[in-house]
Amino acid sequence: MMNTPYIFNEIYYILQKSSPFELTLEALLALGLICIVFYKRTTKKIRHLAPTAQEDVLAKWAPEPLVADVPDDHPALKTRVVSGPVGKTVTVDGNECINMATHNYLGLAEDDDIKQAAVKSLRKYGVGSCGPRGFYGTVDVHLELEERLAKFMEAEEAVVYSYAFSTIASAIPAYAKRGDLVFVDECANFAIQKGLDASRSKIFYYKHNDMDDLERLLLKQQAEDKRNPAKAKKTRRFLVAEAIYINTGEICPLPRLVELRERYKLRLFLDESVSFGVLGESGRGLIEHFNVDKTQIDLVSAGLEWSAATIGGFCAGSSFIVEHQRLSGLGYCFSASLPPLLAQAAISALDRFEAEPRIFEELRSRCRTVSAKLPTLTHFQSRGDPLSPVKHLYLKSTYDSWTKEKMLLDNIATQCIENGLAVVAAEYLEAMEKNCPRPSIRLTVSRLLTEKDIDDAFRILERVSEKILASAG
């Protein structure tokens, strides 16, 4: 243990060796530290009021509202009520409608065998798991579903999430971090956008399905990397795309994405939420549709809330990629696991996928039929691939504001429901969306729709739009 004289000798030695500048700086730092420690903040002089004056002030005081005033036309105040099952027809606010607003593309939500399997699972496991997967929330049916999904997608492993939105929103930040580069289509869905926000990576948006614009950004980054090769060597690069874009209904050019991925050394994430159970001979999605080498896509994600007609989502890929999400996927680690009855419904949906692959071609046939009829609409222009179950209708006339156009489409959707056709105007968070899409009516196609259903739907849509737009001037 050092004694006091030794310490003073050391201080004296240091002072002798220090330059005048260093001594001045050290003295100023010491003085500043003393001021900070001993400085006594002066408090504002309190003004004492008489008791009667205090009562008068308190009587006039009113707290700010916790929630601001909500306008009378806010969508949340005009909730439509569905009664009964949601199938190819649906009862909305008492009106029985042809359903062209559902993402139940294959019609499995009304399949009796799937319902019975879910009821049987409900009796065995109860309603919910009441815990995340890592904390007593894993039930054997979850493991069976992951095994079945991996087998169906021809991947090494799959991981199941309890909510479709959180699947891709959790998967992206599980890998992409601050300092990484992510190239993404400007029309990517909101879940992808939230995943990008959470990653804190540097984001580059390329024009929708424009591979030349994507390559322009990649070449620009390549030139930047040459100026700082040390940094470039440590920077990871990702490419994120949707197989069928929910915001446009268009298919991404996957072969070109794979080509650019290989050329510029990117990691490719593909969201197959809309295309799962739609494209490909066996319903495996866009990878099967284009016959692309599966190893070229680093991670595939999809929601189970569309063609599979249940809840949740999954990611599939190599064991190395998927296992990482069990530790880093926020939606997996911190959300209650998928209710067992819904996991069983997904397993039963996969049974149908494997036993009756003809249902995929039946759906695509209905999609082509709807696409062929879109040009007959007088007041709309359309967007969406003929094979996509999602089509967007935009007004041919242009309007001054986004809000006015959206209001007209809402009115058309409301009148359609009253006339027996369920459609919806696509909803977006205008202030939060990156490149917020133009307002549109989003039509969806079900395998169970007949030719007569489709003809009736277009007749109602034409009549209602003519009436609404004529009155709007």
Side-chain angles (χ1 to χ4, degrees):
M1 189 173 182
M2 293 185 292
N3 54 29
T4 304
Y6 177 79
I7 294 173
F8 281 114
N9 287 336
E10 284 295 309
I11 294 173
Y12 179 73
Y13 176 74
I14 292 170
L15 291 174
Q16 280 188 320
K17 297 276 288 183
S18 300
S19 67
F21 173 77
E22 290 172 333
L23 289 173
T24 304
L25 181 61
E26 289 166 0
L28 290 173
L29 290 173
L31 184 61
L33 182 61
I34 292 169
C35 290
I36 291 171
V37 172
F38 293 101
Y39 173 72
K40 183 178 180 181
R41 289 185 175 86
T42 57
T43 57
K44 192 174 181 180
K45 189 175 181 180
I46 299 174
R47 181 185 173 191
H48 294 284
L49 298 175
T52 54
Q54 292 180 17
E55 291 176 5
D56 186 51
V57 170
L58 291 172
K60 293 179 181 178
W61 178 79
E64 290 187 8
L66 291 175
V67 180
D69 289 339
V70 178
D72 293 336
D73 61 346
H74 194 282
L77 301 178
K78 299 185 292 184
T79 303
R80 297 188 177 105
V81 178
V82 173
S83 53
V86 178
K88 81 164 188 173
T89 61
V90 61
T91 302
V92 184
D93 295 335
N95 303 295
E96 186 175 355
C97 303
I98 300 166
N99 194 355
M100 295 194 75
T102 179
H103 291 281
N104 176 29
Y105 308 137
L106 295 173
L108 299 185
E110 47 198 312
D111 184 90
D112 288 332
D113 291 339
I114 294 177
K115 289 180 186 177
Q116 290 302 317
V119 169
K120 185 177 178 182
S121 178
L122 174 63
R123 292 196 176 108
K124 179 178 179 180
Y125 299 104
V127 176
S129 56
C130 301
R133 290 289 301 275
F135 297 91
Y136 309 105
T138 296
V139 182
D140 54 3
V141 72
H142 295 130
L143 302 178
E144 182 184 356
L145 175 58
E146 289 176 340
E147 184 179 340
R148 288 291 302 277
L149 284 167
K151 180 182 177 183
F152 181 77
M153 297 300 292
E154 298 178 341
E156 290 181 9
E157 199 167 336
V159 58
V160 169
Y161 286 77
S162 53
Y163 186 34
F165 187 98
S166 67
T167 303
I168 189 66
S170 298
I172 291 173
Y175 305 98
K177 305 295 182 183
R178 188 190 296 276
D180 293 336
L181 308 179
V182 184
F183 299 86
V184 61
D185 193 290
E186 66 180 3
C187 290
N189 63 50
F190 194 58
I192 289 177
Q193 294 175 34
K194 291 295 98 182
L196 296 173
D197 289 345
S199 74
R200 297 173 296 175
S201 302
K202 187 175 182 180
I203 313 301
F204 298 91
Y205 287 97
Y206 59 88
K207 295 177 183 176
H208 181 50
N209 275 349
D210 189 337
M211 297 298 98
D212 292 335
D213 190 52
L214 171 57
E215 187 160 24
R216 176 187 65 81
L217 292 173
L218 292 169
L219 286 169
K220 184 178 179 181
Q221 184 59 44
Q222 193 176 65
E224 183 72 23
D225 291 341
K226 289 179 181 178
R227 286 196 286 269
N228 194 346
K231 180 182 177 182
K233 190 175 181 181
K234 296 183 289 185
T235 302
R236 298 179 300 177
R237 295 161 178 79
F238 298 87
L239 177 58
V240 181
E242 285 180 79
I244 297 178
Y245 288 89
I246 191 71
N247 289 342
T248 67
E250 295 173 341
I251 293 175
C252 84
L254 185 60
R256 283 280 285 137
L257 286 175
V258 168
E259 177 189 332
L260 294 174
R261 170 205 179 271
E262 185 72 17
R263 186 183 308 164
Y264 294 97
K265 309 304 179 188
L266 307 169
R267 295 172 172 88
L268 175 56
F269 291 178
L270 183 66
D271 184 2
E272 294 253 28
S273 289
V274 180
S275 57
F276 177 71
V278 173
L279 297 180
E281 184 179 348
S282 305
R284 292 187 176 93
L286 192 65
I287 298 173
E288 183 181 46
H289 175 75
F290 280 124
N291 194 27
V292 170
D293 182 2
K294 291 181 290 296
T295 61
Q296 295 291 332
I297 290 82
D298 297 279
L299 184 72
V300 176
S301 72
L304 296 169
E305 300 172 8
W306 287 265
S307 290
T310 181
I311 300 294
F314 70 91
C315 291
S318 67
S319 297
F320 176 77
I321 292 289
V322 171
E323 279 297 319
H324 179 69
Q325 290 184 58
R326 300 190 192 277
L327 297 175
S328 300
L330 299 180
Y332 179 91
C333 296
F334 301 110
S335 296
S337 61
L338 187 66
L341 73 136
L342 297 175
Q344 180 57 55
I347 293 172
S348 299
L350 289 175
D351 290 339
R352 285 292 300 277
F353 284 13
E354 294 170 350
E356 301 179 44
R358 61 179 174 77
I359 62 178
F360 309 120
E361 182 52 42
E362 289 174 2
L363 171 60
R364 293 192 291 268
S365 175
R366 300 296 182 278
C367 294
R368 285 189 285 262
T369 299
V370 171
S371 284
K373 287 186 172 295
L374 291 174
T376 65
L377 295 171
T378 306
H379 301 285
F380 292 102
Q381 56 190 10
S382 63
R383 193 175 189 180
D385 192 273
L387 297 180
S388 169
V390 176
K391 323 285 184 184
H392 284 265
L393 301 179
Y394 306 90
L395 292 173
K396 286 183 178 178
S397 302
T398 56
Y399 294 87
D400 297 336
S401 69
W402 192 95
T403 303
K404 183 176 180 180
E405 191 169 356
K406 176 65 165 58
M407 182 186 68
L408 283 171
L409 293 172
D410 281 333
N411 290 339
I412 291 172
T414 299
Q415 288 291 313
C416 281
I417 290 171
E418 293 176 2
N419 285 270
L421 171 64
V423 294
V424 294
E427 293 289 346
Y428 304 106
L429 298 172
E430 187 182 2
M432 299 176 65
E433 296 261 2
K434 301 288 192 300
N435 305 302
C436 186
R438 183 185 171 192
S440 66
I441 285 179
R442 186 171 59 217
L443 288 182
T444 56
V445 183
S446 169
R447 175 182 69 94
L448 302 181
L449 291 173
T450 64
E451 290 276 357
K452 183 179 182 304
D453 294 330
I454 296 171
D455 288 341
D456 289 345
F458 274 77
R459 186 163 52 252
I460 293 169
L461 190 54
E462 177 69 15
R463 185 174 68 247
V464 168
S465 60
E466 177 71 35
K467 177 183 175 182
I468 295 291
L469 296 174
S471 63

